Amino acid sequence: SYISINLTTASVNFGSLAVTESKNTDDDAVQPLILENNGNIMVNIARIGANASLWFMQPLNTIYFQFKADNDTTESKSFNWTGSTTIWTNMTSALIINKSIIKQLDYKDTNDTAEIDLKVTVPLNEIPGNKRSTVYIVGGLS
């Protein structure tokens, strides 16, 4: 058995947003994170969490920074939809609480990719400036 997971799209840039504006990668305006299973067995993306909140005015585990699993537009049905997190879910800290996201990502070339969509909403009274957060994604044996 060989486990190999690759992020073919490894960064997301939402550009400039106004206070209370929301943007996500599910509406094709911004490209989502794309995962590819390069191994030879099904894998779970068992953990996802961030190193820090994007915002000064709101912590992690709020509606202001969220994620969900989705089908890649070129390879649908690559994972167990009902066993995966496919609704917007609050991003938590990678240090304390990790959330499972994708169950049974296939390894066959025709169905070995999936998306992780991200959604951000600028909190009221947020301090202006560039924002950055690192999202940690961990996969393992299905």
Side-chain angles (χ1 to χ4, degrees):
S1 297
Y2 176 62
I3 297 173
S4 176
I5 302 163
N6 184 39
L7 277 169
T8 60
T9 302
S11 67
V12 175
N13 184 344
F14 287 103
S16 296
L17 291 108
V19 171
T20 71
E21 185 178 0
S22 186
K23 202 178 257 190
N24 69 73
T25 61
D26 196 28
D27 63 9
D28 295 329
V30 179
Q31 187 164 4
L33 299 173
I34 304 289
L35 292 151
E36 182 177 26
N37 182 355
N38 292 323
N40 61 9
I41 59 172
M42 286 190 174
V43 295
N44 291 330
I45 307 306
R47 301 279 182 238
I48 185 170
N51 70 328
S53 178
L54 283 170
W55 316 111
F56 292 106
M57 302 307 291
Q58 290 293 329
L60 287 168
N61 202 19
T62 64
I63 62 166
Y64 299 97
F65 189 15
Q66 297 181 310
F67 71 90
K68 71 178 180 69
D70 203 354
N71 286 310
D72 180 53
T73 55
T74 60
E75 296 182 16
S76 64
K77 300 181 182 178
S78 293
F79 61 92
N80 177 335
W81 185 266
T82 58
S84 300
T85 304
T86 56
I87 60 169
W88 290 116
T89 304
N90 297 342
M91 184 71 71
T92 56
S93 171
L95 298 176
I96 40 178
I97 303 172
N98 286 291
K99 306 246 178 156
S100 180
I101 184 166
I102 296 174
K103 185 150 178 93
Q104 299 170 328
L105 179 60
D106 206 339
Y107 59 91
K108 295 179 212 86
D109 265 349
T110 56
N111 286 80
D112 64 351
T113 62
E115 294 181 3
I116 296 179
D117 285 316
L118 299 175
K119 179 180 179 183
V120 297
T121 303
V122 181
L124 190 62
N125 300 321
E126 179 63 22
I127 299 166
N130 291 332
K131 312 296 181 192
R132 175 176 281 200
S133 184
T134 301
V135 175
Y136 294 91
I137 300 165
V138 179
L141 187 60
S142 176

